[in-house]
Amino acid sequence: MSFFLPYVLSVAVISSIMVYFFQPHSGLLNGILANFGVEETIFWLGETRLAWFVIVFATLWWTVGFNMVLYLAALQDIPESFYEAAEVDGATKFQQLLYITLPSLKPITWVVTLLQIIFSFKIFSQVWLITGGGPGTDTRPIVQYIYETSFKQNSMGYGAAMAFAFFIILVLVSMAQIYLRKRKEG
């Protein structure tokens, strides 16, 4: 339940938690670091590399629950008879993990990877709410650029063309991953 809880929360709540957690002077993380003797104030959202770290951390924390549910369902689909047969043959728990569990989880790992790649391409809300695309425009993803071009610069045609090209790229990436999966299985 605790792993799935962040996925139930909205992206606005997750982003607010991350902004609170990573504030330079009053943030929870800098307070914890100060208790361990780190005197330097870290500007998590003011430096490009650290801002990307915060965005990636927030996204992973937010989506880990969904991925865990997928893996839990896949684990429950592994027949118990596989483990019983392995035990009869004298396989250790590590060998069962290595030769039964992990190979059985390969298909769901492909699905999770594909979904995460697609979600990563279309990330918008976390970046918009945590950094606004900053510092400068260093953390601005393509979706935010399309949004700003379409609605802030009022260039709907150009924005629509970019959105369509982006859609084609996502379809091609998805098809390439599916092709590679089938090729590896076959």
Side-chain angles (χ1 to χ4, degrees):
M1 175 68 180
S2 63
F3 284 108
F4 192 70
L5 183 64
Y7 191 72
V8 175
L9 301 174
S10 73
V11 70
V13 173
I14 297 297
S15 299
S16 296
I17 291 170
M18 290 300 126
V19 168
Y20 167 74
F21 192 75
F22 289 102
Q23 282 294 315
H25 299 290
S26 60
L28 184 61
L29 185 59
N30 278 343
I32 292 170
L33 291 175
N35 287 338
F36 284 106
V38 177
E39 295 177 13
E40 180 184 346
T41 300
I42 300 172
F43 292 88
W44 295 96
L45 303 176
E47 297 179 29
T48 303
R49 287 181 297 136
L50 295 176
W52 271 118
F53 168 79
V54 172
I55 292 166
V56 168
F57 177 77
T59 304
L60 287 175
W61 184 61
W62 185 41
T63 60
V64 73
F66 179 71
N67 295 335
M68 286 296 164
V69 169
L70 293 177
Y71 275 112
L72 181 62
L75 282 170
Q76 291 174 345
D77 276 349
I78 301 172
E80 193 64 37
S81 61
F82 289 1
Y83 295 106
E84 291 169 0
E87 239 177 80
V88 168
D89 288 343
T92 65
K93 292 291 183 188
F94 180 73
Q95 289 171 327
Q96 291 175 18
L97 172 73
L98 203 58
Y99 297 111
I100 297 172
T101 307
L102 293 180
S104 298
L105 293 178
K106 228 180 212 182
I108 200 65
T109 301
W110 277 101
V111 169
V112 167
T113 304
L114 178 64
L115 289 175
Q116 287 302 317
I117 288 172
I118 292 172
F119 293 154
S120 297
F121 270 113
K122 57 184 208 121
I123 187 173
F124 174 76
S125 302
Q126 298 93 304
V127 176
W128 185 260
L129 295 170
I130 294 173
T131 65
T137 58
D138 289 342
T139 61
R140 181 174 64 176
I142 187 71
V143 177
Q144 184 176 347
Y145 181 66
I146 293 170
Y147 165 77
E148 289 173 354
T149 301
S150 299
F151 299 108
K152 286 191 169 186
Q153 298 172 7
N154 207 20
S155 182
M156 293 291 203
Y158 186 55
M162 286 191 299
F164 185 74
F166 186 58
F167 168 73
I168 296 298
I169 290 169
L170 284 178
V171 168
L172 291 175
V173 166
S174 299
M175 289 173 54
Q177 185 162 1
I178 291 169
Y179 170 76
L180 289 173
R181 177 180 170 223
K182 287 184 179 180
R183 185 174 164 195
K184 202 170 198 176
E185 286 178 357

